[in-house]
Amino acid sequence: MAKNFIQPGQVLTLTAPTDGVVSGNGYLIGALFCIALGNAAQGEQFEAQVTGVWRLPKTSAQAWTEGAAIYWNNTTKQATTAASGNTLIGHAVADAANPSEFGSVRLSA
């Protein structure tokens, strides 16, 4: 193996932002989107998954199509198809109806 390899990178140790993190919720750490794998208070280290397919809260009034680009609205803490002002986090892996509370997203680390 190459001598400069650090880790596979699916799970990272990060620092919890203001208000901390709750297991299973999505967070932006800088421009990196992740899912917290445990609870942590602000400033504490936590394990975060940055790959995989996740059921995420979505903008209810949107219909998603399989393969659609999905963004994170850090104000509403919801996944959305609206690119403007939001951070690209991955792609829809299944259609999601309008209205619906959740959608399935493959994260793009």
Side-chain angles (χ1 to χ4, degrees):
M1 177 170 293
K3 293 180 181 181
N4 58 340
F5 179 78
I6 297 172
Q7 67 178 25
Q10 293 93 341
V11 176
L12 302 175
T13 302
L14 301 170
T15 303
T18 304
D19 298 329
V21 298
V22 175
S23 182
N25 288 354
Y27 296 92
L28 272 180
I29 307 298
L32 177 66
F33 183 77
C34 64
I35 305 294
L37 298 178
N39 298 337
Q42 177 182 341
E44 290 183 349
Q45 299 285 289
F46 73 102
E47 300 296 305
Q49 184 87 28
V50 295
T51 60
V53 177
W54 295 85
R55 182 176 180 256
L56 296 176
K58 67 177 269 297
T59 302
S60 180
Q62 291 178 340
W64 292 4
T65 56
E66 185 177 80
I70 303 298
Y71 301 82
W72 186 252
N73 181 323
N74 207 39
T75 301
T76 64
K77 307 298 187 208
Q78 293 179 327
T80 178
T81 55
S84 181
N86 299 315
T87 302
L88 180 66
I89 62 168
H91 295 85
V93 297
D95 292 348
N98 170 6
S100 59
E101 292 182 50
F102 297 94
S104 297
V105 180
R106 180 188 177 274
L107 301 182
S108 301

